[in-house]
Amino acid sequence: DSGVTQTPKHLITATGQRVTLRCSPRSGDLSVYWYQQSLDQGLQFLIQYYNGEERAKGNILERFSAQQFPDLHSELNLSSLELGDSALYFCASSVDPGLRNTEAFFGQGTRLTVV
Amino acid sequence: AQSVTQPDIHITVSEGASLELRCNYSYGATPYLFWYVQSPGQGLQLLLKYFSGDTLVQGIKGFEAEFKRSQSSFNLRKPSVHWSDAAEYFCAVGRRGDYKLSFGAGTTVTVRA
């Protein structure tokens, strides 16, 4: 168990809908990362938050957004869902905003299926 | 930009045999290197990491990896594979102070009895 908790584990929804994925980082970790794992794109970095503020953006669509709350949990919001958004979404957390001799710990992921 | 190549999409190995998974990276400075394992239906578990120092790194589950700067490689090895090692393995590269990891496409390992 990495200590990173993601809910829900599975989500099935229809095209055009909006969903929210939730992540609770390890205790003491201030940085949260979101990754998408799809068959065609592999594992791709989406976005990072550090202590409530957006730190970096990767290949995140405009239909997607995220935030980190004062208690440090994070939510990834996916809207106007398309079939191609079906993927495994991972959250990871680390102590600091960059990789300074630490590593990121990954949650179990949320499997999103868009039908 | 950093990138990672895992040349082998799928490897089949007999239980008890040795395993080597290849990883090549493209990066302008000294990278931080990682190997993660993903079992079916599971999340990513860190096997080992290299930040600096000794280029031979020991990890969990009997795995080790060697950083070879001259070859831009970070190959993962295990002397004797167990059936429970069947999984997908990802090599990743990052850098100090950076915010993200770049992952390879993964290598699926099948273990036959």
Side-chain angles (χ1 to χ4, degrees), chain B residues 47-48 58-64 76-80 85:
Chain B
L47 285 176
L48 46 77
Q58 301 297 320
I60 62 171
K61 304 185 180 189
F63 285 93
E64 67 177 24
L76 181 72
R77 297 193 292 257
K78 185 168 184 176
S80 178
D85 294 322

Side-chain angles (χ1 to χ4, degrees), chain B residues 25-98:
Chain B
Y25 65 90
S26 172
Y27 188 68
T30 299
Y32 284 3
L33 294 159
F34 306 81
W35 275 100
Y36 284 87
V37 61
Q38 184 179 25
S39 298
Q42 299 296 311
L44 291 166
Q45 183 182 23
L46 180 67
L47 285 176
L48 46 77
K49 62 185 185 287
Y50 172 79
F51 287 142
S52 64
D54 192 347
T55 56
L56 186 61
V57 180
Q58 301 297 320
I60 62 171
K61 304 185 180 189
F63 285 93
E64 67 177 24
E66 187 171 12
F67 170 55
K68 291 186 178 180
R69 185 190 303 274
S70 61
Q71 297 176 20
S72 297
S73 69
F74 189 56
N75 294 347
L76 181 72
R77 297 193 292 257
K78 185 168 184 176
S80 178
V81 168
H82 187 261
W83 64 266
S84 61
D85 294 322
E88 190 161 17
Y89 292 79
F90 293 92
C91 181
V93 63
R95 66 182 179 188
R96 180 174 175 154
D98 205 337

